[in-house]
Amino acid sequence: MTGTGVLICGHGSRDPEAIREFELVAAALRPRLPQFEFASGYLAFARPTIRDALADLARRGAKQILAVPGMLFAASHVKNDLPWEMNSFLADNPGVEVRLGRDLAIDPKLLRAAADRIAAVAPDRRDQSLLVVVGRGTNDPDANSNIAKIARMLWEGLGFGWAEAAFSGVAHPRVDEALARAAGLGFRRVVVFPYFLFTGVLVKRIYAQTDAVAARFPEIAFAKALYLRDHPGVLDAFCDRVAELVEAQPAMNCQLCKYRAQIIGYEADAGAAQQGHHHHVRGIGTDADHHHHHSHHRDDEGSP
């Protein structure tokens, strides 16, 4: 489509391996979308920034840009940070149209990708095994509830004896707590699946916590499944989001969004101003190429 660009929007990470994996997915998507100008960018910790990637597409002649969040769920990054980035760019570039897509969400293609990752480490005896699905964890109860739903769908769909949902941070139960509880339920195998797009600080921490709990319970086999990464289902889901933007402006499901409705426990967040939260870490790079660790900033990963 002449004059149309596609931007894949990542969060970014301090872990250079996470950036390489994001770029691996971006490289795999490029030949699938040959009719568009193509770019990728990051909210924080890596370059190009979202703003720079938008400007690059505009310089290459894109009068319309289809921006797709490279994020699993619609928490604050999709609901606040990315819209703020797009609106700020539009204010300075009135001749360019930007359409922001929805999150990857709970999608049959991603569920199949998750099932494949789990099946690779648990090919049989699933009725005698317990599945722990680990999400990033956010302060958005709607996004957190999606992990519980995915855990339930994978539990029933794959025939596990039991399943638990856990979170790497912010929300509860945390990984070590959930694994210790799982170890006491009598199953001889526990399968740990990080429902993340890419590796990074949090995924590596999940695997390390699994190893630590496994050492405490040597009679139980703990299996660590690979995260989603560049599974074909992930690439297909990205292409679907681009197609949605071509056909129309898609709308996120806002029924349980704490910014749109008064959700119990988060009533004060309804109607909050939309703003970015990554000014101090935008484009600073990973820990591999400089030494500004910003230990006060806990937003290490991008896939809520």
Side-chain angles (χ1 to χ4, degrees):
M1 297 178 66
T2 303
T4 301
V6 166
L7 173 61
I8 305 298
C9 305
H11 179 277
S13 172
R14 291 185 177 91
D15 188 332
E17 188 178 356
I19 302 302
R20 287 196 296 270
E21 289 188 349
F22 181 88
E23 293 298 336
L24 183 70
V25 168
L29 287 170
R30 191 182 301 268
R32 288 184 172 220
L33 302 164
Q35 68 273 41
F36 302 105
E37 294 291 334
F38 188 91
S40 58
Y42 301 92
L43 280 172
F45 302 121
R47 292 186 181 278
T49 64
I50 297 292
R51 175 70 178 231
D52 289 345
L54 288 167
D56 177 57
L57 286 171
R59 280 194 298 270
R60 285 190 266 154
K63 297 301 182 183
Q64 180 187 70
I65 298 173
L66 312 177
V68 178
M71 297 160 193
L72 288 169
F73 299 129
S76 61
H77 300 319
V78 175
K79 294 175 179 178
N80 285 326
D81 297 299
L82 286 178
W84 185 89
E85 294 283 354
M86 305 304 154
N87 290 333
S88 298
F89 176 79
L90 286 169
D92 295 332
N93 298 270
V96 180
E97 177 192 3
V98 179
R99 295 183 181 182
L100 178 61
R102 63 189 178 99
D103 55 310
L104 294 173
I106 298 177
D107 184 286
K109 294 181 175 68
L110 295 181
L111 284 171
R112 173 45 54 192
D116 287 348
R117 297 303 195 210
I118 293 165
V121 299
D124 55 15
R125 297 183 293 108
R126 292 183 194 137
D127 61 329
Q128 303 170 43
S129 303
L130 185 148
L131 173 67
V132 179
V133 178
V134 184
R136 181 183 183 275
T138 77
N139 61 4
D140 189 316
D142 190 21
N144 292 335
S145 70
N146 284 331
I147 291 296
K149 185 170 185 177
I150 285 169
R152 185 79 204 191
M153 295 181 79
L154 292 170
W155 172 7
E156 296 189 17
L158 293 175
F160 277 88
W162 195 261
E164 298 276 354
F167 301 93
S168 65
V170 184
H172 291 277
R174 301 292 172 82
V175 176
D176 48 0
E177 175 189 350
L179 291 180
R181 183 170 64 194
L185 294 180
F187 291 92
R188 296 299 88 190
R189 180 172 64 187
V190 175
V191 177
V192 180
F193 171 55
Y195 195 74
F196 283 68
L197 279 175
F198 310 110
T199 190
V201 175
L202 300 182
V203 170
K204 292 176 180 178
R205 185 185 302 160
I206 291 165
Y207 288 153
Q209 289 172 311
T210 301
D211 290 340
V213 175
R216 291 167 49 197
F217 300 94
E219 72 280 9
I220 301 174
F222 283 81
K224 296 176 289 188
L226 183 66
Y227 43 92
L228 295 170
R229 203 168 178 262
D230 58 341
H231 187 285
V234 172
L235 303 180
D236 290 342
F238 271 112
C239 290
D240 287 348
R241 296 298 170 271
V242 173
E244 290 173 357
L245 286 168
V246 171
E247 295 166 4
Q249 180 71 49
M252 289 187 294
N253 180 2
C254 293
Q255 183 180 8
L256 296 176
C257 174
K258 69 173 185 174
Y259 300 111
R260 305 290 181 262
Q262 287 197 329
I263 301 300
I264 184 168
Y266 295 87
E267 290 86 354
D269 290 339
Q274 205 168 60
Q275 57 184 326
H277 298 91
H278 291 80
H279 308 290
H280 61 298
V281 289
R282 183 184 289 114
I284 66 171
T286 66
D287 282 348
D289 51 32
H290 65 79
H291 300 288
H292 298 289
H293 293 280
H294 295 272
S295 59
H296 64 283
H297 185 76
R298 300 184 59 83
D299 193 10
D300 297 311
E301 304 299 329
S303 301

